[in-house]
Amino acid sequence: MAKTVDLKHRRNLGIMAHIDAGKTTTTERILFYTGRIHKIGEVNDGSATMDWMEQEQERGITITSAATTCLWETDQQQYTLNIIDTPGHVDFTAEVERSLRVLDGAVMVLCAVAGVQPQSETVWKQAKRYNVPCIAFINKMDRVGADFKNAVNSIDEQLSANPVAIQMPIGAEDRFEGVIDLISMQELRFKEEGWGLEYERKELSDELKPEAEEGRLQMLEHLSMFDDGLLEKIVEEQQVEQSEIVRVLRDTTLSGQITPVLCGSAFKNKGVQQLIDAVVEYLPSPLDIPPVHGDHPVTKKVVSRDASASEPLCALAFKVASDPFAGQMTFVRVYSGLFESGKSAYNPRKRKYERIGNLVKLHANKREDVSVLSAGDIGAVVGMDLITGDTLCPKENPIVLERTQFPEPVIDQALEPKTKLDQDKLEEALKRLMQEDPSFRSRIDAETGQNIISGMGELHLEVIVDRLQREFKVACKAGTPRVAYRETITQEADSEIRVEQQLDGKEQYAFCKISLEPLGAGGGFEFENNLSDEELPTLFAEALEQGIRNAMSNGVLAGFSLIDLKVSLIAGEYLDESSTEVAFTIAGVNALREGALKAKPTLLEPSMKIEVVTPVSFTGDVIGDLNARHGRIRGMEEQGGIQVVLAEAPLAEMFGYSTRLRSLTQGRASYTMHFSHYTSVSESTRKALTGESVSLN
């Protein structure tokens, strides 16, 4: 019998941030203070627990989301924390996306010097997409240039996140000594020795009182906007109890109306224990979030599940990982019911039952065997053939949860295996990597026969190639990265195709009529079946859709993938004796190609959002270089002798930019770049791509 766990005392949370804000360092301290590890590792020397991959340790960045479970005891209660440490680099944003999809709350770590940075905005939008309540932790208060108020203001101005500071720093930079707790109106002083395990909590000194009282009043005024009882007490100048402040903070955080803000220095072991207290106090348990909703796979009606072990099973596979010893390991979030090793669960995608393999709880790359995962649990299952987004449930009470939408790759690279044996190993390794990472693609170029891999950026593909060589032992040579152009349509068009041919000595028949219409930028692909099962059996309609999807990978202008269009099936015919799924797949391929040619296709290229941080003296050189790369300057802001330049530019113009920027600024500038949107190519690029597409390889 599974052990019953009180879901009120469980927190499923993610740690998210811009690269180098101190996210993994913060997670390392959380693990130490909760007793999960007994020695603090550091990112800089490659010993951080959650950065366990060789590539992470060498580069000092997080590449893959790592999960762990730890316990935190307060005066009254013990809490279970399931934590996922997510990457900060934009090339691995898909890792953040699928993690936030299954988490109940999040801690956003910000640098006290830089405040909100480009990837901070990206992860915040991802959290809001899934209605994930957040706490902000202003880290690196010991850094030169640390400014708590500016960091809080950046949360308000750039994220519109309604920040409410519940702490204030005592000092800053090398004089950062502790924090003021605005709820209890006490000061906390951290001891330098003993890894910050011990700290002193005492009444406020006269020197700190005026600033603390002003900060507390601002906090209460902010909270009173959401609670009439609190507003009444403030107006009548009555005493406000700590318990009432905590209640209003919790309610408004869970509803997403405010973002509580704390501060500290994870590297100097200051403020992290108070952050853990805030996590259990203000972030939701599985019982605090709404029931999970999905669709019935047949009727398409909305189905919901409450977070309870007594409800029917509902579990989501949100990540696939290759384990060198155990094979395929799938990360699973259980929303309801019991997920028990040795039993069977129904997979609506495959329309069949599958046996549940060995279950484990994770601690980075270490595993702890368990027999059951219950409602609210996050763990992994070994040995099941699942893909990201699969729902597991009972067949008699099915549910399909919404799949996570991942961004399209923007950069390609050719791969050449060194031997025939390596070619076979390469194909198998690429297949496993695509299962792991939905933002990574691989295909064979029809003209050259080369393996073409596609990803979110140069670093993404660099890590993939490194893993192929080290982890999968494939001897291969990588070509120069190149832009992943796309095709789309610009107007509506209809297309009808009749397939009447012999295959393997058997007559094949299929007829379909489809309409195509363009979707807005980022619209992806939609397929709408307007026919009933009597007019065209579902099996044939699904085969037709698969043919259309197959054809989209090879566009009609220059062979690039088609994106941002909707296809509607408006007519279809079949014959009992000669219609097959193969015939309708062929019809789908031909219908899409014919329709796309009629719908005025055009070529697109990725436009990148760029933020350059440079000393003011180099601003002119930086802007001049961006203009030469056909960049468009979107804004500039000076922050204490440092100029922040915001721009957009075609990805094709940005190769080698890091070297050029170092040269222009004597190595004193840095930049971040991430995909913004696809835009039409210039006329000269269009002619080069359609007339000399072979030269791209």
Side-chain angles (χ1 to χ4, degrees):
M1 186 70 185
K3 182 184 175 184
T4 304
V5 177
D6 191 342
L7 291 180
K8 281 193 303 185
H9 304 130
R10 177 171 292 152
R11 300 290 182 268
N12 295 319
L13 69 141
I15 314 289
M16 60 186 194
H18 183 92
I19 190 169
D20 204 33
K23 175 176 40 59
T24 300
T25 303
T26 302
T27 308
E28 194 76 9
R29 268 57 181 180
I30 292 174
L31 296 180
F32 178 72
Y33 294 132
T34 56
R36 193 67 174 84
I37 59 175
H38 303 290
K39 179 175 180 282
I40 292 178
E42 301 295 356
V43 174
N44 294 340
D45 60 18
S47 61
T49 306
M50 303 300 270
D51 284 353
W52 56 270
M53 291 175 66
E54 289 179 16
Q55 292 83 357
E56 293 176 316
Q57 293 165 358
E58 290 171 359
R59 291 169 173 81
I61 61 170
T62 302
I63 290 169
T64 183
S65 296
T68 189
T69 301
C70 53
L71 300 174
W72 180 245
E73 290 197 28
T74 64
D75 294 339
Q76 299 86 22
Q77 188 61 51
Q78 185 182 74
Y79 291 84
T80 301
L81 309 180
N82 290 322
I83 301 173
I84 296 183
D85 176 30
T86 63
H89 197 286
V90 68
D91 282 15
F92 309 105
T93 190
E95 283 286 310
V96 186
E97 184 85 23
R98 59 182 173 189
S99 298
L100 287 171
R101 169 73 175 82
V102 299
L103 293 169
D104 303 332
V107 173
M108 183 169 67
V109 180
L110 299 170
C111 173
V113 181
V116 172
Q117 295 169 275
Q119 188 64 1
S120 313
E121 293 185 51
T122 303
V123 296
W124 178 259
K125 287 174 185 171
Q126 289 172 316
K128 291 300 103 181
R129 187 179 305 139
Y130 298 114
N131 298 313
V132 177
C134 293
I135 288 175
F137 180 62
I138 310 294
N139 190 29
K140 302 193 176 185
M141 282 302 305
D142 59 311
R143 280 267 304 272
V144 174
D147 190 321
F148 179 72
K149 286 184 179 177
N150 271 358
V152 174
N153 288 339
S154 73
I155 298 174
D156 191 24
E157 293 166 7
Q158 296 183 49
L159 304 180
S160 302
N162 218 351
V164 176
I166 61 175
Q167 290 180 346
M168 293 176 67
I170 301 173
E173 301 181 343
D174 58 351
R175 297 184 305 280
F176 176 60
E177 299 171 10
V179 299
I180 299 169
D181 183 341
L182 296 177
I183 300 171
S184 66
M185 288 299 277
Q186 293 177 314
E187 59 181 83
L188 282 67
R189 302 274 180 169
F190 301 95
K191 298 182 179 179
E192 294 291 336
E193 66 279 355
W195 301 102
L197 276 169
E198 294 183 16
Y199 58 90
E200 186 181 6
R201 182 184 283 270
K202 60 183 183 179
E203 295 305 310
L204 284 171
S205 65
D206 292 338
E207 181 189 352
L208 294 174
K209 264 186 183 175
E211 187 183 8
E213 285 171 354
E214 184 186 340
R216 180 183 169 89
L217 184 60
Q218 286 179 357
M219 175 187 73
L220 291 175
E221 285 176 348
H222 216 128
L223 293 176
S224 67
M225 295 166 60
F226 306 100
D227 189 271
D228 292 339
L230 191 59
L231 177 61
E232 191 177 318
K233 285 191 174 183
I234 292 172
V235 170
E236 296 177 2
E237 297 184 353
Q238 296 179 25
Q239 179 69 28
V240 181
E241 298 296 328
Q242 287 188 44
S243 58
E244 189 168 5
I245 299 173
V246 169
R247 175 186 63 78
V248 178
L249 271 168
R250 180 170 177 77
D251 290 346
T252 49
T253 304
L254 295 184
S255 61
Q257 293 170 297
I258 68 144
T259 304
V261 183
L262 299 90
C263 61
S265 168
F267 185 67
K268 293 292 179 66
N269 311 307
K270 296 176 180 178
V272 177
Q273 295 181 69
Q274 288 67 44
L275 174 63
I276 309 172
D277 285 334
V279 163
V280 301
E281 199 70 71
Y282 307 122
L283 289 184
S285 74
L287 297 176
D288 294 315
I289 60 171
V292 66
H293 294 286
D295 293 332
H296 191 288
V298 179
T299 66
K300 304 302 179 187
K301 288 183 179 177
V302 176
V303 183
S304 65
R305 293 276 201 277
D306 290 318
S308 168
S310 59
E311 286 264 307
L313 172 66
C314 175
L316 178 70
F318 67 93
K319 174 177 173 173
V320 177
S322 292
D323 188 283
F325 305 106
Q328 181 172 312
M329 184 167 67
T330 308
F331 288 58
V332 174
R333 163 70 194 259
V334 182
Y335 286 98
S336 63
L338 298 174
F339 195 61
E340 297 185 69
S341 180
K343 295 200 172 180
S344 293
Y346 182 68
N347 186 338
R349 178 181 63 86
K350 293 183 174 181
R351 299 178 188 171
K352 69 175 187 178
Y353 274 101
E354 294 189 73
R355 187 177 179 277
I356 300 171
N358 294 332
L359 299 177
V360 293
K361 286 285 188 77
L362 297 159
H363 177 51
N365 61 335
K366 298 180 176 66
R367 301 187 298 271
E368 174 193 332
D369 291 328
V370 294
S371 60
V372 61
L373 296 174
S374 182
D377 265 335
I378 293 176
V381 57
V382 179
M384 288 186 79
D385 183 20
L386 302 172
I387 63 171
T388 300
D390 275 352
T391 306
L392 298 163
C393 56
K395 187 175 183 179
E396 64 276 8
N397 209 331
I399 182 173
V400 177
L401 300 180
E402 182 185 0
R403 286 184 172 273
T404 306
Q405 297 299 314
F406 295 102
E408 283 288 314
V410 297
I411 191 166
D412 288 349
Q413 193 169 26
L415 277 184
E416 288 281 359
K418 289 193 174 175
T419 66
K420 177 67 174 72
L421 181 63
D422 285 315
Q423 174 66 47
D424 297 337
K425 286 164 67 178
L426 178 63
E427 287 175 11
E428 180 59 31
L430 290 173
K431 183 179 173 184
R432 287 173 65 180
L433 287 170
M434 279 194 289
Q435 278 185 318
E436 279 189 36
D437 185 352
S439 64
F440 169 68
R441 312 277 167 81
S442 170
R443 62 184 172 85
I444 303 292
D445 189 289
E447 293 181 9
T448 65
Q450 286 180 310
N451 290 282
I452 305 297
I453 59 174
S454 308
M456 300 307 299
E458 291 182 82
L459 179 61
H460 188 192
L461 294 186
E462 183 186 313
V463 169
I464 290 286
V465 173
D466 197 31
R467 288 189 64 194
L468 284 169
Q469 293 170 340
R470 286 199 210 182
E471 197 176 312
F472 295 95
K473 304 292 188 289
V474 177
C476 59
K477 180 184 174 187
T480 306
R482 62 187 196 176
V483 175
Y485 293 96
R486 293 288 179 263
E487 299 182 18
T488 193
I489 59 172
T490 58
Q491 67 179 36
E492 296 183 14
D494 289 348
S495 168
E496 58 180 71
I497 289 291
R498 194 180 303 274
V499 174
E500 293 178 299
Q501 63 185 70
Q502 279 205 341
L503 281 175
D504 296 329
K506 186 186 175 186
E507 200 69 34
Q508 304 276 346
Y509 177 82
F511 170 79
C512 70
K513 183 177 181 180
I514 61 172
S515 68
L516 284 72
E517 59 182 285
L519 295 175
F525 170 68
E526 292 179 20
F527 179 78
E528 186 177 274
N529 180 5
N530 294 317
L531 304 182
S532 67
D533 200 42
E534 288 74 29
E535 291 173 295
L536 188 69
T538 303
L539 209 61
F540 292 155
E542 288 177 349
L544 183 82
E545 180 185 352
Q546 187 57 54
I548 290 168
R549 287 182 181 274
N550 292 347
M552 285 177 62
S553 65
N554 195 13
V556 294
L557 285 177
F560 300 110
S561 297
L562 273 160
I563 60 169
D564 299 340
L565 73 156
K566 178 180 179 180
V567 177
S568 300
L569 174 58
I570 52 181
E573 290 177 10
Y574 70 101
L575 299 175
D576 289 332
E577 62 277 6
S578 57
S579 288
T580 64
E581 291 174 67
V582 172
F584 275 95
T585 301
I586 295 170
V589 171
N590 295 340
L592 183 85
R593 293 190 66 79
E594 182 185 280
L597 284 167
K598 291 181 185 175
K600 289 204 172 174
T602 187
L603 283 163
L604 304 173
E605 66 179 339
S607 178
M608 310 303 285
K609 187 177 179 182
I610 302 145
E611 180 177 285
V612 182
V613 180
T614 177
V616 171
S617 57
F618 298 109
T619 304
D621 292 332
V622 168
I623 291 175
D625 184 65
L626 286 169
N627 286 333
R629 295 171 184 269
H630 301 116
R632 296 171 296 283
I633 306 302
R634 295 301 190 198
M636 291 192 293
E637 182 184 347
E638 190 176 335
Q639 299 174 352
I642 297 295
Q643 188 78 48
V644 179
V645 180
L646 301 173
E648 285 182 5
L651 175 61
E653 302 286 349
M654 294 306 294
F655 288 118
Y657 184 64
S658 57
T659 304
R660 177 63 178 158
L661 185 64
R662 281 197 298 271
S663 170
L664 285 173
T665 63
Q666 299 170 13
R668 294 168 63 192
S670 63
Y671 81 103
T672 55
M673 178 174 74
H674 65 272
F675 172 70
S676 174
H677 61 281
Y678 273 98
T679 185
S680 296
V681 301
S682 64
E683 185 63 19
S684 58
T685 303
R686 186 193 66 78
K687 286 179 178 176
L689 292 173
T690 54
E692 301 173 17
S693 55
V694 176
S695 66
L696 287 172
N697 298 305

